[in-house]
Amino acid sequence: MTEVAQLSRPRRALTSGPVVIEARGVTKTFRIPDQRMDSLRERLGHPLTRVRYRDLRALRSISFDVHRGEFFGIVGRNGSGKSTLLKILASIYRADHGRIRMAGRLAPFIELGVGFNPELTSRENVVLNGVLMGLSRHEARRRLDAVLDFAELREFADLKLKNYSSGMMVRLAFAAMVEADADIMLIDEVLAVGDAAFAQKCLDVFRARRAAGRTIVLVTHDMATVQSFCDRAMLLHDGELRYLGDPEETALRYYRLNFGGHTGAGGGDLPDVNVRLIDAWLEDPAGRRVENVEQGEPIGLNVIFEARHDLISPVFGFHFLTADGVQVFGFNRSLTVAEGEPDVLRAGQRARISGTIENPLLPGRYHVSALISRNHNQGDLALHVLQLLDFVVYGTQPGPGSVAVRADVEASVEGS
C-alpha cells in the first residue's frame, strides 16, 4: 500500500543549547619536503643539498559550533582535512591560526594505538588511558573490569599490546573511551575497522549516548550513519568548509563531490540522490510502534520518503540484512495510483510505504535498507543506500542460518 502523506520526522532541536565546542578561523598548514633524505648515508652523500618544502594547507579558516547533546558529523573525501580537524579538537595538533574552546571532559578515539604504550599490558594501558582522559587513578582502576568486559578481552588483560591484533586494539581503545563516560566523544572512522559484530556494538553505544544527551563528533565516510544518527553535519573539501547543516543535505553534497564528474554505463550523468528519508518505524499487530519484533509475528513496516525532484514511475526497493550485512530477503514496490492518474511523485511530495511482512527471521539482529529507482529503470538508482532501521527478532527457537522454513521432509530406511 502506497500513499502520499504529509507527515514529518521530528529532528531534535539542539542548536539552542549551550555551545560545548567553539571553533573560529581554525587554520592548519603542514610543511612537506619535496625530496626526503631519511638515512645518514643520504645526508653524507649530499651534504650541500638544501631540502625544499611545499606547504599543504590542510584547513582554511574553519569556523563552527557544536551544542551540548548534539550528534555532529564531519564528512569529506580523503585528504579534505577531517582527521586533522579532529586532532586539533583533541589537542594532538596545534592550529596555526584561530581558536578552539571546549567545555567538558573529552574522550577521543582518533587513531589506532594513539595514547597506548605497546610495551604495557592492556590492564596497565586502560588505567593510564583513563588518567589521561581526566579520571583519577582510583576511578580508572575501578572501571578496568567494565572496559575489559566491553572489549571482550578479559583473558588477554595481561598480554602486552604489541602482541594484540588491530581488531583487539580497536576494541580496547573504543571500550576505554566509552567507559571514561566523558561529556564529549571525538570519534574517527570507528566503524571502518573491526568486524561486523563490533560495528554493531558501536552503533548501540551511539544510540545510548545520543539518548543520554552526550555530545558526539563523528568523522566518517558512511553516509547511512550520518543520515541515521546526526543532528547536523559538516562537509569539508580541500580544507574548506563547504556546507554545515542538515545531514541529508550534507550526504547529498558529499555524493555529488564523489560522483558528480563521472558518467554512467550509458554515457549519461549518474542520477542524483532521489529522496529524503522522513521517518521509518516498525509496528506490532496492534499498530503500536516497536523497536524489536517477536519471532513468528508479522513485521509491520512503515516508511515515509520525500522526493527531492520529480520521480517518474518510482520503484522502492527494500532489503533485510543480517548484522553482518548478508541479505536475507527483499522486495520492490511501485506507487499505487488511480486509473488514469500519472505514476509520478512530484518534488516535495511524500510517499508512505506501509504494510505487514511475513516474518521468517530467526532470533538475532537485523537491519533494513532501501534503494529508490525511477522510470522503472533498475540501473537508475539513488547513489546511496538509505539505512532505515535496526531491530532485533527475539524468541526461543533459534536455528541454523537466518530464516525458518517449512520442510515437509521425512527420513526413513529405504525399502521399509
Side-chain angles (χ1 to χ4, degrees), residues 3 37 77 79 85 132 143 200 256 335 363 404:
E3 62 183 89
M37 288 190 293
R77 302 175 69 181
L85 177 58
L132 291 175
R143 299 189 185 194
Q200 186 59 55
R256 284 175 177 164
L335 280 176

Side-chain angles (χ1 to χ4, degrees), residues 95-109:
D96 298 333
H97 302 285
R99 60 182 174 85
I100 297 284
R101 185 183 70 84
M102 310 282 286
R105 192 158 50 84
L106 191 68
F109 185 96

Side-chain angles (χ1 to χ4, degrees), residues 23-98:
R24 293 292 181 270
V26 176
T27 300
K28 181 67 178 177
T29 301
F30 295 99
R31 296 188 70 205
I32 301 176
D34 287 331
Q35 181 182 2
R36 295 183 60 178
M37 288 190 293
D38 296 325
S39 68
L40 179 61
R41 182 177 179 177
E42 287 177 317
R43 293 183 181 276
L44 292 175
H46 304 84
L48 301 179
T49 300
R50 295 182 61 185
V51 179
R52 289 185 171 85
Y53 294 87
R54 61 184 176 89
D55 288 341
L56 174 63
R57 298 191 65 185
L59 295 172
R60 305 165 186 253
S61 192
I62 304 297
S63 299
F64 64 96
D65 292 332
V66 178
H67 299 259
R68 180 181 297 166
E70 190 172 13
F71 201 122
F72 188 84
I74 302 176
V75 306
R77 302 175 69 181
N78 289 335
S80 62
K82 308 183 302 298
S83 296
T84 298
L85 177 58
L86 212 63
K87 288 176 181 177
I88 290 175
L89 294 178
S91 298
I92 296 173
Y93 290 164
R94 177 180 292 179
D96 298 333
H97 302 285

Side-chain angles (χ1 to χ4, degrees), residues 82 101 110 271-272 279 311 316 383-384 389:
K82 308 183 302 298
R101 185 183 70 84
I110 302 293
D272 207 342
D279 201 0
L311 302 181
F316 302 88
L383 291 180
H384 64 313
L389 295 161

Side-chain angles (χ1 to χ4, degrees), residues 314-386:
V315 176
F316 302 88
F318 297 89
H319 306 274
F320 285 71
L321 303 98
T322 67
D324 295 329
V326 177
Q327 184 167 321
V328 182
F329 65 86
F331 60 90
N332 294 331
R333 286 296 179 270
S334 301
L335 280 176
T336 301
V337 295
E339 186 175 353
E341 291 293 323
D343 182 11
V344 60
L345 189 66
R346 299 295 181 190
Q349 279 189 315
R350 293 178 177 180
R352 174 170 175 170
I353 294 87
S354 62
T356 57
I357 305 163
E358 182 182 355
N359 180 14
L361 299 173
L362 293 173
R365 182 177 289 278
Y366 301 90
H367 62 265
V368 188
S369 63
L371 281 171
I372 292 83
S373 64
R374 51 186 175 180
N375 305 323
H376 289 303
N377 177 2
Q378 291 303 311
D380 188 8
L381 296 175
L383 291 180
H384 64 313
V385 177
L386 283 167

